[in-house]
Amino acid sequence: MTLRDVSEASGVSEMTVSRVLRSRGDVSEATRQRVLEAARSLGYVPNKIAGALASQRVNLVGVIIPSLSNMVFPEVMTGISEVLEDTGLQPVVGVSNYHHDREEQVIYEMLSWRPSGLILAGVEHSEASRAMLAQAGVPIVEIMDVDGDPVDSAVGISHRRAGRQMAEAIIAAGYRRIAFLGTHMPTQDTRARKRLEGFEEALAKAGLSLVDREYYTGGSSLLQGRAMTEALLKRSPDVDFLYYSNDMIGAGGLLWCLDQGLDVPGKIGLAGFNGMELLDGLPRKLATMDACRLEIGQQSAEIVAGKRPGGAGAREVIELTPTLDLGDTIRK
Amino acid sequence: MTLRDVSEASGVSEMTVSRVLRSRGDVSEATRQRVLEAARSLGYVPNKIAGALASQRVNLVGVIIPSLSNMVFPEVMTGISEVLEDTGLQPVVGVSNYHHDREEQVIYEMLSWRPSGLILAGVEHSEASRAMLAQAGVPIVEIMDVDGDPVDSAVGISHRRAGRQMAEAIIAAGYRRIAFLGTHMPTQDTRARKRLEGFEEALAKAGLSLVDREYYTGGSSLLQGRAMTEALLKRSPDVDFLYYSNDMIGAGGLLWCLDQGLDVPGKIGLAGFNGMELLDGLPRKLATMDACRLEIGQQSAEIVAGKRPGGAGAREVIELTPTLDLGDTIRK
DNA sequence: ATGAAAGCGCTAACAG
DNA sequence: CTGTTAGCGCTTTCAT
């Protein structure tokens, strides 16, 4: 089923059919109807591959994220879709599973479809990836994180600063024996690592250091959070604050503490990261810091779509400011 | 940057370059290296648009789901990716937001890229969608639900049967004054509706009917579940069982009941749907029914990839059997 | 307002 | 093992 079939069925040249189907140029209403009717009755679906090859234009924007199960990314996607909606551009999702090698493959795969732009999480990529991105000739937007050296544009928060800020709030609230619980992903989950770095930096400035730490691998879950918290508190019962690398394990830890009848936030405080509204209905609200996910999605899409003040192709690095929420788990 | 550039840089014909880059046919190791080197140093990324047009082959599989934030779908995606991994096929995600109109657009958009197959949630689609799917000439797999009339293949569970089975378990446990709490999506969330239909059918068979019901619109969350539960129990304090259309609002309801000090599952029982392991660390385990999400993803991908016994293009309808888990919220 | 010709960058099919 | 020749189905550009 090709344009030619529609052309024959409607008795008009392929060119005119093409014009009707793309609503380009002047076509008399009569032929327009005739063509539309023919296309509809044949069930014609245009071949974008041929169209893209001929026009050298592809209405796709690649979006590369580490994981779909992280909850963080769906919200970013929402922001992206929202903005792309009325630009004629379509997002296409790729998943890297937190692996730079995998990410490199996905970037290669995506660029081979010659998209109109690429949005990808993080500013750390393999050498080869950076080279491809730099060569791509389309807008590249690195999102989530601005602590680094973006290839082109970037929209995100400073995770180092976020970690620092949380540490300052915790210290200000009077906690002193602070422990960390989080992902064990030395290179992959760089953003969690940067938060921890900023956190420890601020502790050091106050003459403190982490009293204990507990790492895990694999997905985050309430159960994981409970288990880690139990392990850590058994080992270091005198800890007075638990800083988690994300809200999910933080919430698990919170539930465990409440089960144990611990005095939260009096004797022990807790904090996570992300501002996952999903967890809002729990018995207590976990202290957290929102990562501006929706806004990151929106602004990155605007850059790709050339909707920003500077116009298309203008390089931009946008640092957003996360909001700290003390919830019910840090003394006020 | 085209094949031609690599051809010139390496002094070999375009055809040979093409062969090297696709590892097709015999090429001497010497030229192979020369070509690879040239391609690498130029930073050449093949143009799949041209390749696909020439070869009439596209290694993409469209996956159309209602929402990314539903938690249910990431797990399906995991199953799909897992299986497609070593087939050379790549999933491409599209989101319909539970709207048939939007779904129709996404189907059209996807088919216009001539993918190797399509996997989509549900068996209810617009007339135009069904027509396009029927015409597509590639494997189409409708997933999640088998209560209906699939266009081609299907993999899922019977939601009607699932609802029935849950009702039977609840009745068997001795609950009699049963209420329903769930999404108000008359046409869109058909699967929730079918579960409710099956549920009421089984109640009727036992001479019972729903004592009350509470609907909501918008996303599912713990907070939503709490609010609905409070509203319903204020209105009908004598209810002894709460059947929720999904685990998220069910968990919210459970937390509310526990806060109120209600005797769960003695005086009042609760059940949800989905088997969301995410919620596993809550104080009590909600009764639920797992929807075989991972397996649905895997099997649908196998069909698209032509990996099933019947070989490629064989139509199949696979009904999986969900597992009932009474958790801690149905008396035993 | 409509049509004809010439590719877009690659690969299938065949020759050597 | 390597090269040549034709397209793939559409859009661009230029006529008419």
Side-chain angles (χ1 to χ4, degrees):
Chain A
M1 176 67 43
T2 70
L3 252 197
R4 163 170 230 131
D5 298 311
V6 182
S7 159
E8 283 171 0
S10 59
V12 193
S13 78
E14 290 185 41
M15 201 48 239
T16 301
V17 173
S18 168
R19 280 196 269 253
V20 170
L21 265 26
R22 289 175 299 145
S23 348
R24 279 280 162 69
D26 292 322
V27 180
S28 76
E29 187 54 26
T31 41
R32 215 181 82 83
Q33 289 307 334
R34 204 133 46 86
V35 169
L36 254 25
E37 170 55 25
R40 212 173 40 67
S41 78
L42 290 174
Y44 172 69
V45 176
N47 185 329
K48 288 222 179 191
I49 297 175
L53 184 60
S55 66
Q56 309 279 66
R57 227 166 306 155
V58 178
N59 68 333
L60 300 177
V61 173
V63 181
I64 304 178
I65 57 181
S67 156
L68 276 180
S69 12
N70 197 317
M71 314 276 212
V72 170
F73 301 107
E75 202 169 337
V76 176
M77 286 306 307
T78 302
I80 293 176
S81 312
E82 214 179 283
V83 171
L84 293 187
E85 196 98 333
D86 39 45
T87 63
L89 293 172
Q90 257 224 314
V92 175
V93 183
V95 175
S96 70
N97 286 318
Y98 290 101
H99 288 300
H100 285 177
D101 293 356
R102 179 69 192 138
E103 186 190 57
E104 186 177 317
Q105 292 171 2
V106 177
I107 292 174
Y108 186 80
E109 184 75 18
M110 288 219 162
L111 287 182
S112 74
W113 287 100
R114 301 293 187 268
S116 296
L118 224 53
I119 296 173
L120 66 173
V123 287
E124 273 85 24
H125 315 285
S126 72
E127 260 317 303
S129 294
R130 289 185 65 93
M132 284 191 281
L133 295 172
Q135 286 260 320
V138 292
I140 307 290
V141 187
E142 289 165 272
I143 58 171
M144 312 306 288
D145 185 8
V146 296
D147 291 330
D149 174 32
V151 172
D152 182 14
S153 296
V155 184
I157 65 169
S158 164
H159 286 263
R160 204 164 271 127
R161 183 200 302 267
R164 221 181 298 136
Q165 202 180 330
M166 181 59 92
E168 286 160 2
I170 291 168
I171 295 166
Y175 298 100
R176 288 297 176 270
R177 305 195 45 80
I178 302 165
F180 172 79
L181 302 92
T183 342
H184 182 61
M185 283 188 165
T187 54
Q188 295 99 322
D189 193 347
T190 349
R191 292 178 285 288
R193 206 195 59 218
K194 288 176 183 171
R195 288 196 296 276
L196 180 55
E197 282 169 13
F199 192 85
E200 295 200 71
E201 210 177 273
L203 289 190
K205 198 166 284 171
L208 297 173
S209 65
L210 286 177
V211 167
D212 195 358
R213 36 184 101 210
E214 177 81 16
Y215 291 103
Y216 72 107
T217 53
S220 308
S221 66
L222 295 176
L223 276 183
Q224 181 63 259
R226 294 184 99 106
M228 300 175 70
T229 304
E230 175 165 12
L232 190 136
L233 286 181
K234 288 264 152 76
R235 190 168 63 225
S236 310
D238 56 341
V239 155
D240 71 359
F241 202 93
L242 303 169
Y243 178 52
Y244 294 87
S245 72
N246 67 62
D247 282 356
M248 187 59 76
I249 54 172
L254 173 56
L255 290 172
W256 189 83
C257 290
L258 296 178
D259 280 359
Q260 302 298 308
L262 299 183
D263 171 15
V264 177
K267 285 286 180 203
I268 188 164
L270 299 90
F273 181 83
N274 257 336
M276 288 193 11
E277 35 181 55
L278 179 89
L279 296 171
D280 273 0
L282 291 183
R284 301 271 175 102
K285 185 148 181 19
L286 183 70
T288 189
M289 207 154 186
D290 132 80
C292 310
R293 300 183 297 277
L294 189 67
E295 201 178 349
I296 287 177
Q298 294 169 330
Q299 304 224 28
S300 60
E302 285 182 358
I303 292 176
V304 165
K307 275 186 160 185
R308 305 274 316 169
R315 201 185 158 202
E316 272 195 279
V317 175
I318 303 177
E319 177 175 346
L320 302 173
T321 312
T323 327
L324 178 64
D325 176 356
L326 297 182
D328 311 318
T329 62
I330 295 185
R331 304 190 274 267
K332 298 198 171 135
Chain B
M1 177 65 46
T2 69
L3 250 197
R4 161 169 232 132
D5 299 312
V6 182
S7 159
E8 283 170 1
S10 60
V12 193
S13 79
E14 290 183 40
M15 200 51 235
T16 300
V17 174
S18 169
R19 281 196 268 254
V20 170
L21 265 25
R22 287 177 301 145
S23 349
R24 278 282 162 68
D26 293 320
V27 180
S28 76
E29 187 55 25
T31 40
R32 217 181 80 83
Q33 288 306 335
R34 202 135 46 85
V35 169
L36 253 26
E37 170 55 27
R40 214 175 35 70
S41 79
L42 290 173
Y44 172 69
V45 176
N47 185 328
K48 289 223 179 192
I49 296 175
L53 183 61
S55 66
Q56 307 279 65
R57 230 165 302 146
V58 178
N59 69 334
L60 300 176
V61 174
V63 181
I64 304 177
I65 58 182
S67 156
L68 277 179
S69 9
N70 197 318
M71 314 275 211
V72 170
F73 300 107
E75 202 169 337
V76 175
M77 286 307 306
T78 302
I80 292 177
S81 311
E82 215 178 283
V83 170
L84 293 188
E85 196 100 332
D86 39 47
T87 62
L89 292 172
Q90 257 224 315
V92 175
V93 183
V95 175
S96 69
N97 286 319
Y98 290 101
H99 288 300
H100 285 177
D101 292 356
R102 177 71 191 138
E103 186 190 57
E104 187 176 315
Q105 292 171 2
V106 177
I107 292 173
Y108 185 80
E109 186 76 17
M110 288 219 160
L111 287 181
S112 74
W113 288 100
R114 301 292 187 267
S116 296
L118 223 52
I119 296 173
L120 65 172
V123 288
E124 273 85 24
H125 315 285
S126 72
E127 260 316 303
S129 294
R130 289 186 64 96
M132 284 191 280
L133 295 171
Q135 286 259 319
V138 293
I140 306 291
V141 188
E142 290 165 270
I143 59 172
M144 313 306 287
D145 184 8
V146 296
D147 291 331
D149 174 32
V151 172
D152 182 13
S153 295
V155 185
I157 65 170
S158 163
H159 286 263
R160 205 164 270 129
R161 184 199 303 267
R164 223 182 295 136
Q165 204 181 327
M166 182 58 93
E168 286 160 1
I170 291 167
I171 296 166
Y175 298 101
R176 289 296 176 271
R177 305 194 46 79
I178 303 165
F180 171 80
L181 303 90
T183 344
H184 181 60
M185 284 189 164
T187 53
Q188 295 99 324
D189 194 346
T190 349
R191 292 179 286 287
R193 207 195 57 217
K194 288 176 184 171
R195 288 197 296 277
L196 180 55
E197 282 169 13
F199 192 86
E200 295 200 70
E201 210 177 273
L203 288 189
K205 198 167 285 172
L208 297 172
S209 64
L210 286 177
V211 168
D212 195 357
R213 36 185 101 208
E214 178 81 18
Y215 291 103
Y216 73 107
T217 54
S220 308
S221 67
L222 295 176
L223 276 184
Q224 181 64 256
R226 293 184 100 108
M228 299 173 71
T229 304
E230 176 165 10
L232 188 136
L233 285 181
K234 288 264 152 78
R235 191 171 58 226
S236 310
D238 56 340
V239 156
D240 70 359
F241 201 94
L242 302 169
Y243 178 52
Y244 295 86
S245 73
N246 68 62
D247 282 356
M248 186 59 75
I249 54 172
L254 173 56
L255 289 172
W256 189 82
C257 290
L258 296 178
D259 279 358
Q260 302 298 308
L262 299 184
D263 170 15
V264 177
K267 285 285 181 206
I268 188 164
L270 300 89
F273 180 84
N274 258 337
M276 288 194 11
E277 36 181 52
L278 179 89
L279 297 171
D280 273 2
L282 292 183
R284 303 270 173 100
K285 185 150 181 16
L286 183 69
T288 189
M289 209 155 185
D290 130 82
C292 310
R293 299 183 296 278
L294 189 68
E295 202 178 349
I296 286 177
Q298 293 167 332
Q299 304 223 30
S300 60
E302 286 182 358
I303 293 177
V304 166
K307 275 186 160 186
R308 305 276 315 173
R315 203 189 156 196
E316 272 195 279
V317 175
I318 303 177
E319 177 175 348
L320 302 173
T321 312
T323 326
L324 178 64
D325 176 355
L326 297 182
D328 310 320
T329 61
I330 294 185
R331 306 189 274 265
K332 289 181 182 149

